[in-house]
Amino acid sequence: MKLTIERSSLLKSLGHVHSVVERRNTIPILSNVLLDAADGRLSLTATDLDLAIVEATEAHGIEPGATTVPAHTLYDIVRKLPDGAEVSLSLDDNQRLTIEAGRSSFKLACLPRDDFPSMTDGDLPHNFALPAVELKRLIDKTRFAISTEETRYYLNGIYLHVAQGADGPVLRAVATDGHRLAQADTVVPEGAAEMPGVIVPRKTVGEIRKLIDEFEGDVEVALSDTKIRFGFGQAVVTSKLIDGTFPDYSRVIPKGNEKELSLDCRAFANAVDRVSTISTDKSRAVKLSLGDDSITLSVTSPENGTATEELAAAYQAEAMDIGFNSRYLLDILGQVEGDTVAARLASPDAPTVVTDEADQAALYVLMPMRV
């Protein structure tokens, strides 16, 4: 194998694939990235056996061949080479990869290509195209609520499925960790109507989110009951799905909350952030005291003292005190696009529904806490 490639092209592709590789691996080959040169292109593949990313980039002076090299080491080398450098890669008879750029030269030990695991797609019968901007929106509106509790593995991802919305079927993304729930809808793409409900793992969500920022157009999605594939032009992400049943989330979305609160989103977020500064406990609880067209935020810390702040708000129901985890509250407020955030409440110990007046296709549920 031999080729020459622009440093920027190689770095971009390595940046996309190397993050799949875990820093600590008990299986040496999984620490490597597969380099496969043929037909004027260099293809890079990385996998952790649950997730694989393949990306192709143009190269020249190619002598076909393939090998695997340590992914993070190769990425660090290319990252530290000067901008605009032409990078030469060549594999010798001793299975060592020589990397040359200008006066710099590196030799890396390789492992055979045949040892690299292949993550076959299998049959993916459901195929559709989803605009990148819509996939980005579905992820951003929900991923903050993905659970990190490994014992509840079925909550460790985004539940993607076709659901019945107010005006007909929608493609819906839902995530919850038991303390909060985030839901976002978009139009059902052609070909997606019969898809099964699938749980896309947290790590996969993070990797495709990074690729979206550099991609315009439609993302090609293909899935089965066990695997999903996202096509971003030159990059393809294939992932196993979480083998579990997502809970019936509709049961935790309250229908009878009649106390309506509306206020300036940015002012509210800034006030929550300010008063929670004084809190020292892990939950960083903030108490909201709701009165006639006003809301008072307060935090009490045995070590630091107290903090209060009053805001104008549209609220006409009976007075009520309710507490929330300030970090969870700020996560939700950070996704509100409009100037105004609206909340529907029932009682101090019942879930609160939060909506964005600029995006009615998104909805959030937040469990209160004792303060």
Side-chain angles (χ1 to χ4, degrees), residues 50-96:
D50 291 321
L51 168 67
I53 297 185
V54 183
E55 180 158 346
T57 185
E58 291 185 4
H60 49 275
I62 285 182
E63 293 180 10
T67 190
T68 78
V69 293
H72 294 296
T73 304
L74 180 60
Y75 176 74
D76 286 341
I77 288 171
V78 176
R79 181 171 58 85
K80 293 175 182 178
L81 293 174
D83 287 339
E86 287 278 310
V87 182
S88 296
L89 305 179
S90 58
L91 184 66
D92 62 26
D93 294 336
N94 296 318
Q95 290 298 303
R96 295 175 72 84

Side-chain angles (χ1 to χ4, degrees), residues 6-310:
E6 289 184 8
R7 178 235 181 213
S8 59
S9 297
L10 181 57
L11 183 63
K12 180 180 177 182
S13 295
L14 277 171
H16 291 160
V17 303
H18 93 286
S19 55
V20 173
V21 179
E22 300 291 346
R23 287 282 179 181
R24 294 179 181 177
N25 257 310
T26 54
I27 306 173
I29 194 70
L30 295 182
S31 297
N32 284 18
V33 58
L34 170 64
L35 307 178
D36 192 344
D39 302 324
R41 300 159 75 80
L42 174 65
S43 176
L44 300 91
T45 306
T47 185
D48 64 0
L49 297 181
D50 291 321
L51 168 67
I53 297 185
V54 183
E55 180 158 346
T57 185
E58 291 185 4
H60 49 275
I62 285 182
E63 293 180 10
T67 190
T68 78
V69 293
H72 294 296
T73 304
L74 180 60
Y75 176 74
D76 286 341
I77 288 171
V78 176
R79 181 171 58 85
K80 293 175 182 178
L81 293 174
D83 287 339
E86 287 278 310
V87 182
S88 296
L89 305 179
S90 58
L91 184 66
D92 62 26
D93 294 336
N94 296 318
Q95 290 298 303
R96 295 175 72 84
L97 184 71
T98 301
I99 305 156
E100 295 180 323
R103 297 184 179 182
S104 301
S105 180
F106 305 84
K107 286 185 181 291
L108 297 182
C110 301
L111 290 174
R113 181 214 195 291
D114 293 343
D115 293 348
F116 196 82
S118 173
M119 189 170 169
T120 55
D121 292 356
D123 183 28
L124 302 176
H126 305 279
N127 294 267
F128 57 91
L130 185 62
V133 65
E134 283 302 309
L135 181 57
K136 176 181 177 180
R137 178 180 157 276
L138 292 178
I139 291 174
D140 287 348
K141 296 283 185 184
T142 57
R143 71 168 173 166
F144 68 87
I146 295 175
S147 174
T148 56
E149 195 178 323
E150 298 301 330
T151 54
R152 304 171 77 186
Y153 66 94
Y154 49 85
L155 299 182
N156 294 163
I158 290 178
Y159 181 43
L160 195 64
H161 62 298
V162 175
Q164 190 65 30
D167 300 318
V170 293
L171 180 63
R172 176 171 293 170
V174 180
T176 183
D177 59 7
H179 304 289
R180 58 210 168 144
L181 178 144
Q183 170 185 304
D185 298 343
T186 190
V187 176
V188 180
E190 185 178 344
E194 302 299 321
M195 67 172 273
V198 297
I199 309 172
V200 185
R202 180 176 59 244
K203 183 175 179 180
T204 304
V205 170
E207 295 302 327
I208 62 177
R209 178 60 184 84
K210 283 187 281 190
L211 288 166
I212 291 173
D213 277 338
E214 300 176 16
F215 183 76
E216 295 180 357
D218 290 347
V219 179
E220 299 294 331
V221 183
L223 59 89
S224 66
D225 291 332
T226 58
K227 287 186 181 177
I228 190 166
R229 184 179 67 225
F230 297 89
F232 296 86
Q234 304 298 334
V236 177
V237 179
T238 306
S239 172
K240 291 180 181 177
L241 296 164
I242 292 176
D243 183 13
T245 302
F246 201 80
D248 182 5
Y249 63 90
S250 63
R251 294 171 59 187
V252 304
I253 302 175
K255 302 290 191 293
N257 289 16
E258 295 178 350
K259 298 181 176 70
E260 295 190 2
L261 168 71
S262 180
L263 71 166
D264 183 286
C265 181
R266 299 284 82 79
F268 185 32
N270 291 336
V272 171
D273 193 29
R274 278 192 291 269
V275 298
S276 64
T277 305
I278 205 165
S279 177
T280 53
D281 64 355
K282 189 176 179 182
S283 66
R284 302 183 77 84
V286 57
K287 182 169 79 172
L288 310 182
S289 299
L290 309 179
D292 285 343
D293 287 338
S294 71
I295 176 172
T296 302
L297 296 78
S298 58
V299 172
T300 301
S301 165
E303 296 87 359
N304 293 340
T306 62
T308 61
E309 184 163 341
E310 187 172 335

Side-chain angles (χ1 to χ4, degrees), residues 265-266 269 329-337:
C265 181
R266 299 284 82 79
L329 198 51
L330 288 171
D331 282 343
I332 290 174
L333 295 175
Q335 296 307 319
V336 174
E337 297 174 6

